[in-house]
Amino acid sequence: MAIGSPQWMYASGEDFTIDQSLRFEYDRDTYLKKDWATAPTDADKFTFSVWVKRGAIDSGTTQYWLLGAKDTAESNIKIKEDKINIHLTGSNYDFITDAVFRDPSAWYHIVVAYDSDDGTATDRCKIYVNGVRQSLGTTTTIPSGTDNEFTKNGVTVTFGGHSDTDHHWDGYMAEAHLIDGTALTPASFGETGDYGEWKPKEVSGLTYGTNGFYL
């Protein structure tokens, strides 16, 4: 894992630029982890936002984890078979995009917004890419009030892999936010440019909650 190129993303004029990223290599067995030791602000709600650029492209069964949570079971947000996959423990809730994301030259902004208190069952777990909500070919229904694992007390949350030896991310990641207690939209992290492109913006005023982070 290494600091990535500072020139990966830019905009003209006075627009916000992201100067650095982390480079993960699948075979290097590197990832980041944190053990939560306190109760979350609200286990029923979280947001994960990250900009990614893929390295290795494997359209098969290899799992490239962005975020994981390990307790007696495991939850994860990953790319597998070129689709964004979310697996949430409990009764094994799964959400998989219809769209594939296999362009190694492109930066993708991924946002996962979770709110199990939402009165509309299909809105309890949302996936956005570059500001657009994704249609999900595989979904399961989350019961109202179901706690998530990513901010749970006693859980090890992992970034860029599952463990020392498994499911490492390959490529770049930057501007990663885990928000404990709030389900946000992509507008908190990006905006539409003059030519219709989705671009990052300087994030300010966010409340990360007890078990959240900004990298």
Side-chain angles (χ1 to χ4, degrees), residues 2-11 16-23 107 172 174:
I3 298 297
S5 167
Q7 58 187 359
W8 66 268
M9 187 180 294
Y10 66 92
F16 174 68
T17 60
I18 297 175
D19 294 324
Q20 298 291 346
S21 59
L22 281 182
R23 173 71 165 96
W107 280 91
Y172 296 89

Side-chain angles (χ1 to χ4, degrees), residues 112-129:
V112 175
Y114 178 88
D115 181 359
S116 64
D117 293 330
D118 196 296
T120 302
T122 54
D123 287 342
R124 291 174 186 163
C125 187
K126 304 174 186 176
I127 303 173
Y128 301 87
V129 178

Side-chain angles (χ1 to χ4, degrees), residues 29-182:
D29 296 342
T30 53
Y31 73 113
L32 306 177
K33 67 178 181 178
K34 172 70 176 178
D35 298 324
W36 298 133
T38 56
T41 298
D42 186 346
D44 291 348
K45 300 176 178 66
F46 79 88
T47 304
F48 179 61
S49 168
V50 65
W51 290 84
V52 305
K53 184 178 182 181
R54 298 191 66 184
I57 302 296
D58 178 354
S59 299
T61 59
T62 302
Q63 299 183 34
Y64 298 100
W65 281 32
L66 300 170
L67 189 71
K70 298 184 294 181
D71 190 13
T72 53
E74 62 185 34
S75 294
N76 57 73
I77 299 170
K78 60 181 179 279
I79 291 181
K80 178 183 176 184
E81 298 177 335
D82 297 325
K83 298 182 178 183
I84 299 171
N85 288 239
I86 300 175
H87 175 73
L88 302 174
T89 55
S91 297
N92 293 328
Y93 311 118
D94 291 285
F95 303 86
I96 302 174
T97 61
D98 287 326
V100 296
F101 305 94
R102 60 167 69 105
D103 184 354
S105 68
W107 280 91
Y108 298 110
H109 179 220
I110 298 171
V111 174
V112 175
Y114 178 88
D115 181 359
S116 64
D117 293 330
D118 196 296
T120 302
T122 54
D123 287 342
R124 291 174 186 163
C125 187
K126 304 174 186 176
I127 303 173
Y128 301 87
V129 178
N130 295 341
V132 178
R133 184 175 177 181
Q134 299 299 297
S135 61
L136 305 177
T138 299
T139 63
T140 46
T141 300
I142 299 173
S144 178
T146 300
D147 293 349
N148 85 90
E149 296 285 317
F150 297 105
T151 61
K152 181 180 177 181
N153 183 18
V155 159
T156 298
V157 64
T158 62
F159 181 75
H162 168 258
S163 67
D164 292 335
T165 58
D166 292 323
H167 307 325
H168 298 108
W169 176 248
D170 195 291
Y172 296 89
M173 287 200 280
E175 285 291 296
H177 303 260
L178 179 63
I179 311 294
D180 168 18
T182 311

